[in-house]
């Protein structure tokens, strides 16, 4: 008898074994990673998420809302960059967590510029 013959089939069907609960912390990490994918690795971001409904046993039907704070390079089209982040977050949360997003709020926390130099008094004005 081989070890393959000794493997027992589960006695409980997969749909009846339970459900995977995806925590808000995991969704927030997925959102932050998606924002990094959209903006590039050097951009800073912070995400929070609220899981409204976890996916059902089939892996579908989950619902979450996400809030992101991002840093953007400037000058740029701020609205287009925020839309790009929103779309990427929606897509990746759907792909990786099986959840739809009710809303993805992107707040620009800081603008970063290559032209920004801290002057002598530290005000950091663009010259």
């Amino acid at each position: 008898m081989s070890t393959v013959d000794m493997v027992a089939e589960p006695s409980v069907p997969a749909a009846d074994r339970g459900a995977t609960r995806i925590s808000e912390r995991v969704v927030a990490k997925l959102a932050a990673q998606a924002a990094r994918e959209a903006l590039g690795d050097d951009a800073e971001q912070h995400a929070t998420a609220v899981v409204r409904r976890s996916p059902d046993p089939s892996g579908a039907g989950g619902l979450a809302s996400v809030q992101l704070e991002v840093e953007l390079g400037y000058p740029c089209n701020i609205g287009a960059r925020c839309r790009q982040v929103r779309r990427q977050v929606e897509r990746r949360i759907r792909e990786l967590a099986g959840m739809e997003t009710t809303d993805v709020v992107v707040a620009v926390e800081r603008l970063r510029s290559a032209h920004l130099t801290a002057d002598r008094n530290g005000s950091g004005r663009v010259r």
Side-chain angles (χ1 to χ4, degrees):
M1 184 184 321
S2 70
T3 56
V4 174
D5 295 333
M6 296 171 56
V7 175
E9 289 295 316
S11 59
V12 180
D16 295 336
R17 287 186 213 146
T20 301
R21 183 182 176 281
I22 299 174
S23 74
E24 292 173 347
R25 183 176 174 190
V26 169
V27 175
K29 285 185 175 190
L30 292 173
Q33 176 61 38
R36 270 191 296 280
E37 292 169 2
L39 297 173
D41 287 331
D42 62 335
E44 291 184 28
Q45 58 281 331
H46 174 74
T48 57
V50 175
V51 174
R52 307 270 184 223
R53 182 177 60 234
S54 287
D56 61 25
S58 71
L63 199 58
S65 63
V66 176
Q67 291 185 323
L68 285 153
E69 294 176 358
V70 298
E71 175 183 298
L72 296 178
Y74 187 80
C76 72
N77 183 333
I78 296 171
R81 296 292 279 168
C82 289
R83 279 189 299 278
Q84 180 183 16
V85 168
R86 237 185 328 273
R87 282 192 307 267
Q88 181 71 359
V89 167
E90 290 170 350
R91 185 176 68 81
R92 296 298 279 163
I93 288 177
R94 185 174 40 255
E95 287 174 355
L96 298 172
M99 303 178 105
E100 295 298 321
T101 51
T102 56
D103 57 324
V104 176
V105 176
V106 180
V108 178
E109 182 178 72
R110 183 178 305 125
L111 295 173
R112 174 177 70 322
S113 174
H115 304 291
L116 187 68
T117 57
D119 57 10
R120 295 195 198 312
N121 65 12
S123 68
R125 293 177 176 239
V126 174
R127 296 183 187 255

